Amino acid sequence: MTKYAPSWLQLREDADAAARATELIEPVRAFLRGRDEVVIRDLGCGTGSLGRWLALRLPGRQRWILHDRDTDLLTHALARTSRPKHALDGSEVTVVTEQRDVTELRAEDLAGTSLVAASALLDLLTAEEMSRLAEACVEAGCAVLFTLSVSGRVVLSPKDEFDIEISDAFNAHQRRVTDGRWLLGPDAVDVAFGVFERLGATVRRAPSPWRLGTDQAALTAEWLTGWVGAACEQRPELAPDGDAYLRWRLAQCAAGELDAVIQHEDLLVVPA
C-alpha cells in the first residue's frame, strides 16, 4: 500500500473536510441510533483526520479503532492533540490503534463494529480486495462510509488542451499494476457500489469534490506536482512537455490565477 507523509495528509485535511458529502451523515446517525456505544473502525487512518471530522457529527459514546500499516502515522493519530475531543452531544470519544493490513480484515475481525469508515482508500485496493472487504462488512452487519475516493475527473481554470493528456495518463497510473496488484483507481466507487449491491446492502453515493482556489495555493501546488509527476511516470514521453506545463501551472498558482476542481465520491453502505 502507498505510504503517505504526515505533512501531505495535514496539508489536505481542511480541503477533505470541506469536500466530504454531509448529506450522508444523517443516514449514518439513523443507523447508529439507540446504541450504548458506537464502535468505529477507521481503515488506513493516516493522521486521524476522518475521526476528527466525523466524531463531532455523530452523537453518543464512541470508540474509534484506527487501522494503518504505518506505525509513524498511528503514533501521530493517537497523539492527544490529534484525537477527536468529543461527540456531537458532548459524549466521550476514546481512540485506540491497531497496526494491520486492512485488506486482510474478515467478518470475525469486525465483530461488534458499528461502522467501518475510510478516507481516500478505495482507489488503492484491487477488485479482489474490495470484494473481500465488502463481504466482511456485510457479514458483520456494520455500516460503511468510504469518503473521498478519486473519480478521475479534474477541471482546471483556465483550461489548457494539455490538461486531458495529463489527466488520462494520471488515471492510467492510478489503475497500474504494482507488486502484482492491479489497483482500481478511478473505477473503485463503481466497483464497490456493484459489489455491495450484489450482497444485498443499500448503497448511496454522493460527490465530494475538492474545490481549490487562491486560498489553498500550497495544497494546489503540491497536488499539481504529484498529478503531473504520476502522469509522466506512467507515460515518460510526456515528460518534456509535462515539465514546462507544470512550471506554467505552478506560476499561475503562485499568482492566484488558477482554480482546480478535483472530483471525488463518497459511498455509504447500510446492511439489509
Side-chain angles (χ1 to χ4, degrees):
M1 299 288 282
T2 303
K3 185 180 178 71
Y4 291 106
S7 58
W8 163 246
L9 299 177
Q10 291 164 353
L11 185 61
R12 62 176 288 172
E13 183 165 347
D14 288 345
D16 287 349
R20 291 191 178 98
T22 55
E23 63 264 35
L24 299 182
I25 299 303
E26 184 52 42
V28 174
R29 292 189 193 120
F31 177 79
L32 300 177
R33 192 168 293 132
R35 299 170 190 249
D36 292 334
E37 182 181 61
V38 172
V39 179
I40 303 171
R41 292 182 183 268
D42 184 356
L43 310 188
C45 67
T47 60
S49 63
L50 177 58
R52 289 189 290 278
W53 180 86
L54 185 56
L56 289 168
R57 288 163 173 79
L58 300 178
R61 190 156 51 93
Q62 300 171 31
R63 182 170 184 262
W64 282 76
I65 305 171
L66 309 185
H67 295 283
D68 210 291
R69 294 178 64 181
D70 189 327
T71 55
D72 291 338
L73 290 178
L74 288 176
T75 299
H76 187 105
L78 195 58
R80 185 175 300 276
T81 56
S82 296
R83 301 181 200 174
K85 293 178 174 58
H86 53 76
L88 176 64
D89 57 359
S91 296
E92 181 186 18
V93 176
T94 59
V95 180
V96 297
T97 62
E98 283 188 22
Q99 183 190 16
R100 67 184 304 164
D101 184 345
V102 299
T103 66
E104 298 299 326
L105 287 170
R106 299 295 181 266
E108 54 267 29
D109 300 316
L110 302 178
T113 301
S114 314
L115 174 68
V116 168
S119 184
L121 174 72
L122 292 192
D123 46 287
L124 300 175
L125 302 180
T126 67
E128 181 182 357
E129 291 163 353
M130 182 68 256
S131 294
R132 287 201 306 263
L133 181 57
E135 290 166 3
C137 292
V138 170
E139 186 178 340
C142 49
V144 177
L145 180 64
F146 290 136
T147 69
L148 296 169
S149 298
V150 296
S151 67
R153 299 185 297 277
V154 171
V155 178
L156 299 179
S157 179
K159 295 181 179 180
D160 184 79
E161 60 183 16
F162 202 55
D163 296 347
I164 296 175
E165 289 271 13
I166 295 294
S167 185
D168 288 347
F170 176 82
N171 290 339
H173 185 270
Q174 293 289 94
R175 296 183 178 103
R176 70 193 181 279
V177 176
T178 177
D179 296 329
R181 301 171 59 251
W182 193 335
L183 306 185
L184 287 171
D187 304 320
V189 173
D190 288 338
V191 170
F193 188 96
V195 169
F196 278 110
E197 274 207 326
R198 286 194 295 275
L199 292 170
T202 300
V203 193
R204 292 179 58 180
R205 58 200 294 179
S208 51
W210 272 359
R211 301 185 185 278
L212 306 183
T214 55
D215 55 337
Q216 294 112 341
L219 175 59
T220 305
E222 192 74 14
W223 169 80
L224 266 172
T225 302
W227 187 58
V228 175
C232 293
E233 180 181 312
Q234 183 69 23
R235 291 181 53 193
E237 70 275 13
L238 294 178
D241 290 335
D243 289 344
Y245 171 85
L246 177 59
R247 289 194 298 272
W248 170 62
R249 285 300 198 188
L250 289 175
Q252 286 182 316
C253 181
E257 298 170 351
L258 181 66
D259 293 316
V261 178
I262 300 99
Q263 295 290 350
H264 305 90
E265 281 195 272
D266 290 1
L267 191 75
L268 172 63
V269 180
V270 178

